[in-house]
C-alpha cells in the first residue's frame, strides 16, 4: 500500500536523496531498490507530466521510498492534483514573499489549517484513506528560496510554517551573481549558513539541491539536512561515460 504521509524524518535526515528528471517508473524502481532516503521528481525542469506521476510515485513507494514532487509553479490547483496522485510532499519553486508562502502551504493542508480541497476518489478502498485534519496525513510543504528577494524575505516565508525550505543554488547563484560551485563549496557571503541557522531557529528543516557528494559536504556542515546527492540524468551519463572509457582501456 502507498506510504502514508511522510514523517518529518525525510526532511530531517534525508541526506541521500535522488533527483528524478525522467518520466520512467522503471528507472525509479531500479533506483529505489537501492534504498535512497527519498526521491525528488522534477516537474519543473524534468519531463514528467501529471499522468506519469501515479506510476512514478507508486514505484518509489513500493520500496518504502517517499516521493516529493517539484511542481512547475504556484498553481494550487495543480499542486492539489499532484498531492492526490499520492506524492508525499510538494516542492514549490521560487517563493519570494510571505503571502505566497502562506497560500502555498495552505494548499497542502486541509481546513482548518489550510484550504486543500478534499476529493477522496482515486485510491482503491483497499488502501488506507487520507484523513482530512490528521496532521500526519498531510504532504510535506516545501518552499524554495532561490533568489535574493526570497532570501531577503526569509522570515516572512518561515512564518508560513512550511515543513522545509529548499535552496536552489542554480537560480540563487544567478540572482546573487556568484559562481554555482563557489556558492556550494564556500558560501562566500554566508547566505547559505544564515538560511540554515534561521531555519533551525524557526524549527523548519533546511534542504538544498547539490547533485553530488562533493558539493553536499559544505551544506551538511552548515546544517542542511536534506538534499539530492545525484540524479537519474547524472547516473546514466556518468556510468555510461565510465564504461566507454573502461572499454578503451581494457
Ligand atoms: C536550482 O538550483 O535553482 C534548482 O531549482 C535546483 O533544482
Ligand atoms: Mg531553480
Amino acid at each position: 500500500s502507498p506510504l502514508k504521509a511522510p514523517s518529518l524524518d525525510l526532511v530531517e535526515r534525508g541526506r541521500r536523496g535522488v533527483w528524478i528528471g525522467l518520466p520512467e517508473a522503471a528507472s525509479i524502481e531500479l533506483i529505489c531498490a537501492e534504498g535512497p532516503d527519498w526521491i525528488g521528481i522534477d516537474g519543473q525542469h524534468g519531463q514528467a507530466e501529471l499522468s506519469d506521476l501515479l506510476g512514478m510515485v507508486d514505484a518509489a513507494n513500493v520500496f518504502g521510498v517517499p516521493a516529493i514532487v517539484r511542481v512547475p509553479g504556484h498553481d494550487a490547483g495543480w499542486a492539489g492534483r499532484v498531492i492526490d496522485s499520492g506524492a508525499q510532499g510538494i516542492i514549490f519553486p521560487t517563493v519570494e514573499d510571505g503571502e505566497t508562502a502562506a497560500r502555498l502551504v495552505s494548499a497542502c493542508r486541509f481546513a482548518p489549517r489550510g484550504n486543500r480541497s478534499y476529493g477522496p476518489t482515486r485510491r482503491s478502498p483497499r488502501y488506507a484513506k487520507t484523513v482530512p485534519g490528521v496532521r500526519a496525513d498531510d504532504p510535506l510543504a516545501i518552499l524554495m528560496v532561490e533568489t535574493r528577494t526570497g532570501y531577503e524575505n526569509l522570515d516572512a516565508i518561515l512564518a508560513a510554517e512550511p515543513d522545509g525550505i529548499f535552496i536552489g543554488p542554480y537560480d540563487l547563484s544567478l540572482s546573487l551573481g556568484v559562481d554555482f560551485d563557489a556558492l556550494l563549496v564556500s558560501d562566500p557571503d554566508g547566505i547559505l549558513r544564515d538560511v540554515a541557522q534561521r531555519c533551525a531557529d524557526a524549527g523548519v528543516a533546511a534542504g538544498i539541491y547539490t547533485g553530488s557528494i562533493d558539493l553536499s559536504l559544505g551544506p551538511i556542515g552548515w546544517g542542511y539536512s536534506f538534499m539530492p546527492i545525484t540524479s537519474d540524468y547524472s547516473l546514466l551519463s556518468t556510468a555510461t561515460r565510465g564504461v566507454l572509457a573502461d572499454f578503451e582501456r581494457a
Side-chain angles (χ1 to χ4, degrees), residues 174-210:
L174 283 182
S175 176
L176 298 174
V178 302
D179 177 70
F180 173 81
D181 285 81
L183 180 64
L184 282 171
V185 169
S186 62
D187 183 27
D189 302 313
I191 286 176
L192 298 185
R193 291 173 176 84
D194 185 46
V195 170
Q197 183 59 54
R198 283 157 66 191
C199 285
D201 293 345
V204 173
I208 184 165
Y209 186 89
T210 59

Side-chain angles (χ1 to χ4, degrees), residues 44-45 70 93-94 144 146 167-172:
Q44 182 186 27
H45 294 296
R70 173 163 71 175
T94 326
M144 290 195 76
E146 50 181 354
I167 296 282
Y170 286 109
D171 280 312
L172 186 58

Side-chain angles (χ1 to χ4, degrees), residues 48-115:
E49 298 294 342
L50 181 69
S51 51
D52 298 317
L53 291 180
L54 196 71
M56 294 172 77
V57 169
D58 281 353
N61 288 181
V62 162
F63 294 92
V65 176
I68 296 189
V69 176
R70 173 163 71 175
V71 290
H74 294 172
D75 186 319
W78 275 97
R81 297 191 73 187
V82 172
I83 300 167
D84 283 351
S85 79
Q88 278 82 36
I90 301 285
I91 297 176
F92 291 99
T94 326
V95 178
E96 299 193 289
D97 62 87
E99 200 180 314
T100 304
R103 185 172 69 77
L104 298 178
V105 170
S106 177
C108 295
R109 297 174 185 165
F110 291 118
R113 288 179 303 106
N115 64 2

